[in-house]
Amino acid sequence: MTDTGIGPFIEHLKKRVPFTERELNEILSCFQEKRIKKRQFIIQPEFIARHRNYVLKGAFRAYVIDDSGEEHTIQFAIEDWWISDYNSYIYQTPATMFVVALEDSVILQIDYDSEQRLKAAHHRYETWFRIMAERSAAYQQRRVISNLTRTAEQRYDDFVERYPLIVQRVPQYALASYLGMTTEFLSRIRNKKVKKKS
Amino acid sequence: MTDTGIGPFIEHLKKRVPFTERELNEILSCFQEKRIKKRQFIIQPEFIARHRNYVLKGAFRAYVIDDSGEEHTIQFAIEDWWISDYNSYIYQTPATMFVVALEDSVILQIDYDSEQRLKAAHHRYETWFRIMAERSAAYQQRRVISNLTRTAEQRYDDFVERYPLIVQRVPQYALASYLGMTTEFLSRIRNKKVKKKS
DNA sequence: CTTATTTCCTGACCTGGTTCATTTTGGGAG
DNA sequence: CTCCCAAAATGAACCAGGTCAGGAAATAAG
């Protein structure tokens, strides 16, 4: 069992706000390391999402199930990403999403109350969470725009270009449902591209 | 020319964070009132969005134009809503959106630098912006989910139920493009409902 | 009040993407 | 190594929603 260092997490924190050593330690003391096995769920509908999760190692997928039983991927997360059911977490209401490990993983968790205390304790902590929320809002809006303006194939191309590492690590049906198409259609898109190259 | 009071704005601020009178005045001093005529643009592609805009009176629409010249509405804003090109504003990069007044309107504007100073000046101001960003991220994510899981007609029904006031104030083609469908298709949906009632 | 423009409606046809059913592939568990 | 089962590919029929074109209503402008 290799010891997964938290170095990347500290870098991640410092990249956004220039914390002092003391501050970094206070932040770290609010996080708990946790090992999650492949196929294990860390969030499920009906339960309240109690944590914000940083991925140290591994990969996760958040998805919802619609009225007709279809799965729709809302988010992926690999190393150095955060994942949760955002609405459930910030409003502390029952989740609508599943969040499941796609591989054996290691995460760092902060629970809701600790986060509140941290934000209240010091302006700089608040700043850090404000920046995270801003970036998240901006990201979600870009996704809305992409869904409205791009065709299925264009969305796939965009995704491959922006997140080539994720494409290789997640099952195709999960990617298809993230991009808003069926797995069959994504299969056709990919196949067409292979043919073109020859 | 009726004097549009800023009472609603103060309520809006106090609802999220319990500011003191002094704090409220400091915040207010960063905002400028502006009258905008119908069809006037407050944000355009290529230009950087310099302001965050609170609608005191009137209605706005933010939209992008895609490669094939189609408009796609990203956001509406009526009284007590905020509007800008979020990505352009927070990263201070050139906008991709148009934001236009749908009616003669009155807005309160804060410019980017004043916002930065405000956030740096006091923890509570930072908190307020953090809460705004969180809610915005949560909202955007609900929209992504709705786009992935609901049919065109369901999205229309959801919108009518949640924002009946907006439905009555914006042109149909703008609503259609917000919901991710053509104006023709929305027309059919509406017509079908009228028939059913008889 | 008249005219010009923009918005909305309606019908006929079209297509990107889905559905369903079947086959092939590939990656674990024993 | 092989057996099994989930994931991916493939073919054919189908449909939700789009496109195009012409006309009717509603607003705005003169």
Side-chain angles (χ1 to χ4, degrees), chain A residues 151-190:
Chain A
T151 65
E153 181 165 2
Q154 289 172 331
R155 292 194 305 271
Y156 172 70
D157 292 342
D158 293 348
F159 192 90
V160 169
E161 194 179 336
R162 202 165 244 129
Y163 309 108
L165 298 177
I166 293 184
V167 175
Q168 279 148 22
R169 280 171 76 175
V170 305
Q172 180 171 110
Y173 68 84
L175 179 54
S177 80
Y178 177 91
L179 296 172
M181 66 185 87
T182 58
T183 179
E184 291 95 329
F185 196 67
L186 178 50
S187 171
R188 271 154 241 236
I189 288 174
R190 280 179 152 165

Short mmCIF file of all heavy atoms in Angstrom, two decimals, chain A residues 151-190:
data_model
loop_
_atom_site.label_atom_id
_atom_site.label_comp_id
_atom_site.label_asym_id
_atom_site.label_seq_id
_atom_site.Cartn_x
_atom_site.Cartn_y
_atom_site.Cartn_z
N THR A 151 -23.03 20.72 -31.51
CA THR A 151 -23.62 19.42 -31.83
C THR A 151 -22.96 18.34 -30.99
O THR A 151 -21.93 18.56 -30.36
CB THR A 151 -23.41 19.05 -33.30
OG1 THR A 151 -22.00 18.87 -33.51
CG2 THR A 151 -23.92 20.12 -34.24
N ALA A 152 -23.55 17.15 -31.00
CA ALA A 152 -23.02 16.03 -30.23
C ALA A 152 -21.55 15.79 -30.58
O ALA A 152 -20.71 15.63 -29.70
CB ALA A 152 -23.85 14.78 -30.49
N GLU A 153 -21.26 15.77 -31.87
CA GLU A 153 -19.89 15.50 -32.29
C GLU A 153 -18.94 16.60 -31.84
O GLU A 153 -17.83 16.33 -31.39
CB GLU A 153 -19.82 15.32 -33.81
CG GLU A 153 -18.42 15.00 -34.28
CD GLU A 153 -18.37 14.46 -35.71
OE1 GLU A 153 -19.44 14.38 -36.35
OE2 GLU A 153 -17.27 14.11 -36.16
N GLN A 154 -19.37 17.85 -31.97
CA GLN A 154 -18.53 18.95 -31.53
C GLN A 154 -18.25 18.88 -30.03
O GLN A 154 -17.14 19.13 -29.58
CB GLN A 154 -19.19 20.29 -31.86
CG GLN A 154 -19.21 20.60 -33.35
CD GLN A 154 -20.04 21.84 -33.66
OE1 GLN A 154 -21.00 22.17 -32.95
NE2 GLN A 154 -19.69 22.53 -34.73
N ARG A 155 -19.28 18.51 -29.25
CA ARG A 155 -19.08 18.41 -27.80
C ARG A 155 -18.06 17.33 -27.48
O ARG A 155 -17.21 17.50 -26.60
CB ARG A 155 -20.42 18.13 -27.10
CG ARG A 155 -21.38 19.30 -27.18
CD ARG A 155 -22.55 19.19 -26.23
NE ARG A 155 -23.33 17.97 -26.33
CZ ARG A 155 -24.37 17.77 -27.12
NH1 ARG A 155 -24.77 18.71 -27.94
NH2 ARG A 155 -25.03 16.63 -27.08
N TYR A 156 -18.14 16.24 -28.23
CA TYR A 156 -17.15 15.17 -28.02
C TYR A 156 -15.75 15.67 -28.36
O TYR A 156 -14.81 15.49 -27.59
CB TYR A 156 -17.51 13.95 -28.87
CG TYR A 156 -16.44 12.89 -28.86
CD1 TYR A 156 -16.18 12.15 -27.71
CD2 TYR A 156 -15.66 12.65 -29.99
CE1 TYR A 156 -15.18 11.19 -27.70
CE2 TYR A 156 -14.66 11.69 -29.99
CZ TYR A 156 -14.42 10.96 -28.83
OH TYR A 156 -13.43 10.02 -28.81
N ASP A 157 -15.60 16.30 -29.51
CA ASP A 157 -14.29 16.83 -29.91
C ASP A 157 -13.74 17.80 -28.87
O ASP A 157 -12.57 17.73 -28.51
CB ASP A 157 -14.38 17.54 -31.26
CG ASP A 157 -14.67 16.57 -32.40
OD1 ASP A 157 -14.47 15.35 -32.22
OD2 ASP A 157 -15.11 17.02 -33.47
N ASP A 158 -14.60 18.71 -28.41
CA ASP A 158 -14.18 19.68 -27.41
C ASP A 158 -13.67 18.97 -26.16
O ASP A 158 -12.64 19.34 -25.58
CB ASP A 158 -15.36 20.59 -26.99
CG ASP A 158 -15.81 21.49 -28.13
OD1 ASP A 158 -15.09 21.58 -29.14
OD2 ASP A 158 -16.90 22.10 -28.01
N PHE A 159 -14.42 17.95 -25.75
CA PHE A 159 -14.06 17.26 -24.52
C PHE A 159 -12.72 16.54 -24.66
O PHE A 159 -11.87 16.61 -23.78
CB PHE A 159 -15.16 16.26 -24.13
CG PHE A 159 -15.00 15.72 -22.74
CD1 PHE A 159 -15.59 16.36 -21.65
CD2 PHE A 159 -14.25 14.58 -22.50
CE1 PHE A 159 -15.44 15.88 -20.36
CE2 PHE A 159 -14.08 14.09 -21.21
CZ PHE A 159 -14.67 14.74 -20.13
N VAL A 160 -12.54 15.86 -25.78
CA VAL A 160 -11.29 15.14 -26.03
C VAL A 160 -10.11 16.10 -25.98
O VAL A 160 -9.07 15.81 -25.41
CB VAL A 160 -11.33 14.42 -27.40
CG1 VAL A 160 -9.95 13.92 -27.77
CG2 VAL A 160 -12.33 13.28 -27.36
N GLU A 161 -10.32 17.27 -26.58
CA GLU A 161 -9.25 18.24 -26.61
C GLU A 161 -8.91 18.78 -25.22
O GLU A 161 -7.75 18.91 -24.86
CB GLU A 161 -9.65 19.40 -27.53
CG GLU A 161 -8.46 20.28 -27.89
CD GLU A 161 -8.86 21.41 -28.81
OE1 GLU A 161 -9.87 21.27 -29.53
OE2 GLU A 161 -8.16 22.44 -28.80
N ARG A 162 -9.96 19.04 -24.44
CA ARG A 162 -9.74 19.68 -23.14
C ARG A 162 -9.37 18.68 -22.05
O ARG A 162 -8.58 19.01 -21.16
CB ARG A 162 -11.00 20.47 -22.74
CG ARG A 162 -10.72 21.55 -21.73
CD ARG A 162 -11.87 22.56 -21.61
NE ARG A 162 -11.55 23.91 -22.02
CZ ARG A 162 -12.26 24.64 -22.88
NH1 ARG A 162 -13.30 24.12 -23.48
NH2 ARG A 162 -11.92 25.87 -23.16
N TYR A 163 -9.92 17.49 -22.10
CA TYR A 163 -9.68 16.52 -21.03
C TYR A 163 -9.26 15.16 -21.56
O TYR A 163 -9.91 14.15 -21.29
CB TYR A 163 -10.94 16.37 -20.17
CG TYR A 163 -11.51 17.67 -19.69
CD1 TYR A 163 -12.71 18.17 -20.22
CD2 TYR A 163 -10.86 18.42 -18.72
CE1 TYR A 163 -13.23 19.38 -19.79
CE2 TYR A 163 -11.37 19.63 -18.27
CZ TYR A 163 -12.56 20.11 -18.82
OH TYR A 163 -13.08 21.29 -18.39
N PRO A 164 -8.16 15.11 -22.30
CA PRO A 164 -7.75 13.84 -22.91
C PRO A 164 -7.51 12.75 -21.86
O PRO A 164 -7.77 11.57 -22.13
CB PRO A 164 -6.45 14.21 -23.64
CG PRO A 164 -6.00 15.49 -23.05
CD PRO A 164 -7.22 16.20 -22.58
N LEU A 165 -7.04 13.13 -20.68
CA LEU A 165 -6.77 12.12 -19.65
C LEU A 165 -8.04 11.45 -19.15
O LEU A 165 -8.06 10.25 -18.86
CB LEU A 165 -6.04 12.76 -18.47
CG LEU A 165 -4.66 13.35 -18.80
CD1 LEU A 165 -4.05 14.02 -17.58
CD2 LEU A 165 -3.73 12.26 -19.34
N ILE A 166 -9.09 12.23 -19.05
CA ILE A 166 -10.34 11.68 -18.55
C ILE A 166 -10.93 10.71 -19.57
O ILE A 166 -11.42 9.64 -19.23
CB ILE A 166 -11.35 12.81 -18.21
CG1 ILE A 166 -10.81 13.60 -17.00
CG2 ILE A 166 -12.73 12.24 -17.93
CD1 ILE A 166 -11.74 14.68 -16.50
N VAL A 167 -10.84 11.09 -20.84
CA VAL A 167 -11.40 10.23 -21.90
C VAL A 167 -10.86 8.81 -21.79
O VAL A 167 -11.59 7.84 -21.98
CB VAL A 167 -11.07 10.82 -23.29
CG1 VAL A 167 -11.54 9.88 -24.40
CG2 VAL A 167 -11.70 12.19 -23.45
N GLN A 168 -9.56 8.71 -21.46
CA GLN A 168 -8.95 7.39 -21.41
C GLN A 168 -9.29 6.59 -20.15
O GLN A 168 -9.05 5.40 -20.09
CB GLN A 168 -7.43 7.52 -21.53
CG GLN A 168 -6.98 7.70 -22.96
CD GLN A 168 -5.74 8.55 -23.07
OE1 GLN A 168 -4.99 8.68 -22.10
NE2 GLN A 168 -5.51 9.12 -24.24
N ARG A 169 -9.84 7.27 -19.13
CA ARG A 169 -10.04 6.57 -17.87
C ARG A 169 -11.48 6.24 -17.55
O ARG A 169 -11.73 5.50 -16.59
CB ARG A 169 -9.45 7.40 -16.73
CG ARG A 169 -7.95 7.23 -16.65
CD ARG A 169 -7.35 8.19 -15.70
NE ARG A 169 -7.55 7.83 -14.30
CZ ARG A 169 -6.99 8.52 -13.29
NH1 ARG A 169 -6.25 9.58 -13.54
NH2 ARG A 169 -7.19 8.14 -12.05
N VAL A 170 -12.42 6.81 -18.27
CA VAL A 170 -13.82 6.55 -17.91
C VAL A 170 -14.49 5.69 -18.97
O VAL A 170 -14.14 5.76 -20.15
CB VAL A 170 -14.60 7.87 -17.71
CG1 VAL A 170 -13.90 8.75 -16.68
CG2 VAL A 170 -14.78 8.61 -19.03
N PRO A 171 -15.45 4.86 -18.56
CA PRO A 171 -16.17 4.04 -19.54
C PRO A 171 -16.93 4.92 -20.54
O PRO A 171 -17.36 6.02 -20.20
CB PRO A 171 -17.14 3.22 -18.69
CG PRO A 171 -17.12 3.78 -17.32
CD PRO A 171 -15.88 4.59 -17.18
N GLN A 172 -17.06 4.42 -21.73
CA GLN A 172 -17.65 5.21 -22.79
C GLN A 172 -19.11 5.60 -22.52
O GLN A 172 -19.54 6.69 -22.87
CB GLN A 172 -17.56 4.42 -24.10
CG GLN A 172 -18.14 5.15 -25.26
CD GLN A 172 -17.84 4.42 -26.55
OE1 GLN A 172 -18.70 3.86 -27.18
NE2 GLN A 172 -16.59 4.42 -26.94
N TYR A 173 -19.86 4.68 -21.89
CA TYR A 173 -21.27 5.02 -21.64
C TYR A 173 -21.37 6.20 -20.67
O TYR A 173 -22.28 7.01 -20.77
CB TYR A 173 -22.04 3.80 -21.11
CG TYR A 173 -21.63 3.34 -19.73
CD1 TYR A 173 -22.17 3.94 -18.59
CD2 TYR A 173 -20.69 2.34 -19.56
CE1 TYR A 173 -21.78 3.54 -17.32
CE2 TYR A 173 -20.29 1.93 -18.30
CZ TYR A 173 -20.83 2.53 -17.18
OH TYR A 173 -20.45 2.14 -15.93
N ALA A 174 -20.38 6.30 -19.76
CA ALA A 174 -20.39 7.41 -18.80
C ALA A 174 -20.07 8.72 -19.51
O ALA A 174 -20.69 9.75 -19.26
CB ALA A 174 -19.41 7.15 -17.68
N LEU A 175 -19.12 8.66 -20.42
CA LEU A 175 -18.76 9.85 -21.18
C LEU A 175 -19.92 10.29 -22.07
O LEU A 175 -20.27 11.47 -22.12
CB LEU A 175 -17.51 9.58 -22.03
CG LEU A 175 -17.04 10.74 -22.90
CD1 LEU A 175 -16.83 12.01 -22.08
CD2 LEU A 175 -15.76 10.37 -23.64
N ALA A 176 -20.53 9.32 -22.74
CA ALA A 176 -21.68 9.63 -23.61
C ALA A 176 -22.75 10.36 -22.81
O ALA A 176 -23.27 11.39 -23.26
CB ALA A 176 -22.24 8.36 -24.23
N SER A 177 -23.07 9.85 -21.63
CA SER A 177 -24.16 10.46 -20.88
C SER A 177 -23.74 11.82 -20.31
O SER A 177 -24.58 12.66 -20.04
CB SER A 177 -24.66 9.52 -19.78
OG SER A 177 -23.81 9.56 -18.66
N TYR A 178 -22.44 12.05 -20.14
CA TYR A 178 -21.97 13.37 -19.75
C TYR A 178 -22.18 14.35 -20.90
O TYR A 178 -22.57 15.50 -20.70
CB TYR A 178 -20.49 13.32 -19.39
CG TYR A 178 -19.88 14.67 -19.03
CD1 TYR A 178 -19.85 15.10 -17.71
CD2 TYR A 178 -19.34 15.50 -20.01
CE1 TYR A 178 -19.30 16.33 -17.37
CE2 TYR A 178 -18.79 16.73 -19.68
CZ TYR A 178 -18.78 17.14 -18.36
OH TYR A 178 -18.24 18.36 -18.04
N LEU A 179 -21.92 13.89 -22.09
CA LEU A 179 -21.99 14.76 -23.27
C LEU A 179 -23.42 14.90 -23.80
O LEU A 179 -23.66 15.61 -24.76
CB LEU A 179 -21.08 14.21 -24.37
CG LEU A 179 -19.58 14.21 -24.04
CD1 LEU A 179 -18.79 13.46 -25.11
CD2 LEU A 179 -19.07 15.64 -23.90
N GLY A 180 -24.36 14.20 -23.18
CA GLY A 180 -25.75 14.32 -23.59
C GLY A 180 -26.08 13.56 -24.86
O GLY A 180 -26.78 14.07 -25.73
N MET A 181 -25.57 12.34 -24.96
CA MET A 181 -25.94 11.50 -26.11
C MET A 181 -25.94 10.04 -25.66
O MET A 181 -25.52 9.74 -24.54
CB MET A 181 -24.95 11.70 -27.26
CG MET A 181 -23.54 11.21 -26.97
SD MET A 181 -22.34 11.58 -28.27
CE MET A 181 -21.78 13.22 -27.84
N THR A 182 -26.39 9.15 -26.52
CA THR A 182 -26.40 7.73 -26.15
C THR A 182 -25.02 7.13 -26.41
O THR A 182 -24.25 7.64 -27.21
CB THR A 182 -27.43 6.95 -26.96
OG1 THR A 182 -27.12 7.10 -28.35
CG2 THR A 182 -28.84 7.42 -26.69
N THR A 183 -24.77 6.02 -25.75
CA THR A 183 -23.50 5.33 -25.95
C THR A 183 -23.39 4.83 -27.40
O THR A 183 -22.31 4.84 -27.99
CB THR A 183 -23.34 4.18 -24.93
OG1 THR A 183 -22.12 3.52 -25.16
CG2 THR A 183 -24.48 3.20 -25.01
N GLU A 184 -24.50 4.45 -27.98
CA GLU A 184 -24.47 4.00 -29.38
C GLU A 184 -24.00 5.13 -30.30
O GLU A 184 -23.18 4.91 -31.19
CB GLU A 184 -25.87 3.55 -29.85
CG GLU A 184 -26.38 2.28 -29.22
CD GLU A 184 -27.25 2.55 -28.02
OE1 GLU A 184 -27.01 3.58 -27.34
OE2 GLU A 184 -28.16 1.76 -27.76
N PHE A 185 -24.54 6.31 -30.07
CA PHE A 185 -24.19 7.42 -30.95
C PHE A 185 -22.72 7.81 -30.79
O PHE A 185 -22.04 8.08 -31.79
CB PHE A 185 -25.10 8.62 -30.69
CG PHE A 185 -25.06 9.63 -31.79
CD1 PHE A 185 -25.56 9.32 -33.05
CD2 PHE A 185 -24.50 10.89 -31.59
CE1 PHE A 185 -25.51 10.25 -34.08
CE2 PHE A 185 -24.44 11.81 -32.62
CZ PHE A 185 -24.95 11.50 -33.86
N LEU A 186 -22.24 7.79 -29.56
CA LEU A 186 -20.83 8.12 -29.36
C LEU A 186 -19.95 7.07 -30.05
O LEU A 186 -18.93 7.40 -30.66
CB LEU A 186 -20.50 8.17 -27.86
CG LEU A 186 -19.04 8.46 -27.50
CD1 LEU A 186 -18.51 9.68 -28.24
CD2 LEU A 186 -18.88 8.66 -26.00
N SER A 187 -20.37 5.84 -29.98
CA SER A 187 -19.65 4.77 -30.66
C SER A 187 -19.53 5.07 -32.16
O SER A 187 -18.48 4.90 -32.77
CB SER A 187 -20.38 3.45 -30.43
OG SER A 187 -19.83 2.44 -31.23
N ARG A 188 -20.63 5.50 -32.75
CA ARG A 188 -20.62 5.84 -34.18
C ARG A 188 -19.68 7.01 -34.48
O ARG A 188 -18.94 6.98 -35.47
CB ARG A 188 -22.04 6.22 -34.62
CG ARG A 188 -22.83 5.01 -35.08
CD ARG A 188 -24.32 5.21 -34.91
NE ARG A 188 -24.82 4.19 -34.00
CZ ARG A 188 -25.80 3.34 -34.28
NH1 ARG A 188 -26.44 3.40 -35.42
NH2 ARG A 188 -26.16 2.41 -33.42
N ILE A 189 -19.73 8.02 -33.63
CA ILE A 189 -18.85 9.17 -33.83
C ILE A 189 -17.39 8.72 -33.84
O ILE A 189 -16.62 9.05 -34.74
CB ILE A 189 -19.05 10.22 -32.72
CG1 ILE A 189 -20.40 10.92 -32.89
CG2 ILE A 189 -17.92 11.24 -32.73
CD1 ILE A 189 -20.73 11.87 -31.74
N ARG A 190 -17.04 7.92 -32.86
CA ARG A 190 -15.65 7.45 -32.75
C ARG A 190 -15.27 6.62 -33.95
O ARG A 190 -14.18 6.75 -34.51
CB ARG A 190 -15.49 6.61 -31.48
CG ARG A 190 -15.34 7.46 -30.25
CD ARG A 190 -15.20 6.61 -29.02
NE ARG A 190 -14.45 7.29 -27.99
CZ ARG A 190 -14.41 6.92 -26.72
NH1 ARG A 190 -15.08 5.86 -26.32
NH2 ARG A 190 -13.70 7.60 -25.84
#
